[in-house]
Amino acid sequence: MSVTSVFAQLERLLPRISKPIQYVGGELGAVVKDWDAVTVRWALSYPDAYEVGLPNQGVQILYEVLNEQPDVLAERTYAVWPDLEQLMRAEGVPQFTVDAHRPVGAFDLFGVSFATELGYTNLLNMLDLAGIPLDARERDERHPIVVAGGHAAFNPEPIADFIDAAVLGDGEEAVLEITAIVRKWKAEGEPGGRDELLLRLARTESVYVPRFYDVDYLPDGRIQRIVPNRADVPFRVHKRTTMDLDAWPYPKRPLVPLAETVHERYAVEIFRGCTRGCRFCQAGMITRPVRERSITTVGQMVKEGLEFSGFHEVGLLSLSSADHSEIGDMCSGLAQQYEGTNVSLSLPSTRVDAFNVTLAQELSRNGRRTGLTFAPEGGSERIRQVINKMVTEEDLIRTVVTAYTNGWRQVKLYFMCGLPTETDEDVLQIAKLAHEVIRAGREATGSRDIRCTVSIGGFVPKPHTPFQWASMTEPEVIDRRLKALKDAINSDRSLGKAIGYRYHDGEPSQVEALLSRGDRRVGAVIRRVWENGGRFDGWSEHFSFQRWTDAAAEVLPEFGVDLAWFTTREREQNEVLPWDHLDSGLDKDWLWQDWQDALTGYEQDDCRWTPCFDCGVCPSQDTEIQIGPTGRKLLPLTPVAGLRVPHA
């Protein structure tokens, strides 16, 4: 049965709101299919505003993978701003897709990708606008299967009441497997209804269906056990790992936005995973093992992506792009290929290594220089040993001075505040480091026209990391240290005026900590916050710490716990954690030992270049580290007059 577009109703509202262009669709790269000509229909979302959601790499990849299937359609939906939400509620316009403006409630599946937990209230708002019951147990065959993915899905327990399923890990093959299950179930006449479909998904052992698991609690509030409530679902759910990235060269047809977005570039993921072992980094832990794209595939993707999209910037993305085994040849090859054009090439923030300045120099051959960002993370040598960020003060100063002497006048240094075992002095060392960077830079260049920006984020303990047992530092302590740091930076006016200072206070971090390590009881807090107007909690102008603390104080005492119990309490080794039944491949005993090593400052090596240190991922997931070099060069893919072609 056909589904009618709601655009006629929506169009009447657009002149009355800000940024109406973000809701009209029709972007280059967008796909609209005949509803009646397909079998399985997906609505995909990154639960934030269009300007943040459209560039999301994960959603773009899944959108393309699904739409390549002839009997499948995928459309996109984003969180609407409060001005449009108010009008939609008044006029009865449901949550819609931007591709064909079809109501989200009509789709078979609603896939939501969470990079951060602060998008949970937006999920509830989208469900409510779509006419989908918030409580998953109240849904029936008329409603989509709500599937969560992304990094936050590695602990979906706080939103377990609101989702039907969660996928851990890589999505390319997972969405096709889920699609095949839905296709077969529909072809058979939908036997057993929604419950049977969810059961078939759960039996894959790689799709988590919360309704099939019960949680029991101890009198002191800790979890006693998490167990299946039926015999035919697995005790543990395993993450998906896509091994051959060359077989998945997406996006091939990147979406080109109509409205301004946070990133307007063609982004290529040059490898996935990281084994550097930074103990705070959930992304590095849960995406193991390292899998590289070959230099030739990257070159072909850049060529085709630029030709299709017309973008003028290429981002070579990964968790640590300079660690690609062929990054030197890749950067020099791309720089040569696009020298003399209006295409700029960039790496994301990189480790503190002078080699990265050389790479940046290569990528800026055409005269357009992007900023340089380095992430030492900790201010003192001691705290960097705790977090396993193997960077010395000499390394940092030498690297930044290299950047200054090669023509850069602005660098950004990223640190965290509130790390385990951190003291006031560890934070104040950031000021000393920043002063020394400016002093050394002036001396090396003979110029006072250099600057650095110190950017500080609050540390949040994350699941599936060695710090998952750690207590979070109280927001007031973080705020006090940040104020003291600002004063220390400005204590020397000559140096301080060359140093920019940006920071996030401790309050949003505490809410993120609640949502990161919470269990199902936190769902009631999320719902109360949403009922009280919570939206766009990742935006400082919309975030209300008071709204979250009030909701926590109203809801959590009935469970015998409070906000501090979830955030600033240190966990013990034998405590059952809310995500223990969700298998990221990491051995829990190994994570605990690495937590103990952190407390002594022991540094762990990168297993890409050293013998395996038994984190557990490769044997438990039947995977392996995949790195080059392949021995190939990034040859110019289209002959360009006047350019030297390197030998293969």
Side-chain angles (χ1 to χ4, degrees), residues 456-492:
I456 315 281
F459 166 71
V460 177
K462 292 283 187 174
H464 305 283
T465 71
F467 288 165
Q468 65 184 359
W469 289 276
S471 61
M472 184 197 169
T473 303
E474 293 86 350
E476 54 270 23
V477 174
I478 291 176
D479 292 346
R480 176 177 57 77
R481 287 175 179 165
L482 292 176
K483 183 180 183 305
L485 174 58
K486 182 178 182 180
D487 293 341
I489 288 173
N490 294 326
S491 64
D492 185 318

Side-chain angles (χ1 to χ4, degrees), residues 63-132:
Y63 179 76
E64 201 169 315
V65 166
L66 289 166
N67 277 318
E68 283 186 347
Q69 305 299 307
D71 68 336
V72 179
L73 69 76
E75 298 187 13
R76 297 161 293 126
T77 185
Y78 305 106
V80 298
W81 283 114
D83 58 352
L84 182 57
E85 178 196 342
Q86 184 178 0
L87 293 174
M88 288 170 63
R89 292 189 183 279
E91 300 292 332
V93 179
Q95 181 78 29
F96 56 88
T97 60
V98 297
D99 299 285
H101 299 94
R102 290 160 173 153
V104 169
F107 286 75
D108 298 310
L109 298 123
F110 179 25
V112 188
S113 179
F114 292 101
T116 169
E117 297 84 359
L118 293 174
Y120 289 162
T121 49
N122 279 358
L123 167 66
L124 268 58
N125 206 45
M126 296 170 82
L127 291 172
D128 189 61
L129 284 170
I132 302 169

Side-chain angles (χ1 to χ4, degrees), residues 340-353:
T341 72
N342 64 353
V343 173
S344 64
L345 306 160
S346 64
L347 295 170
S349 66
T350 59
R351 69 177 191 264
V352 178
D353 189 326

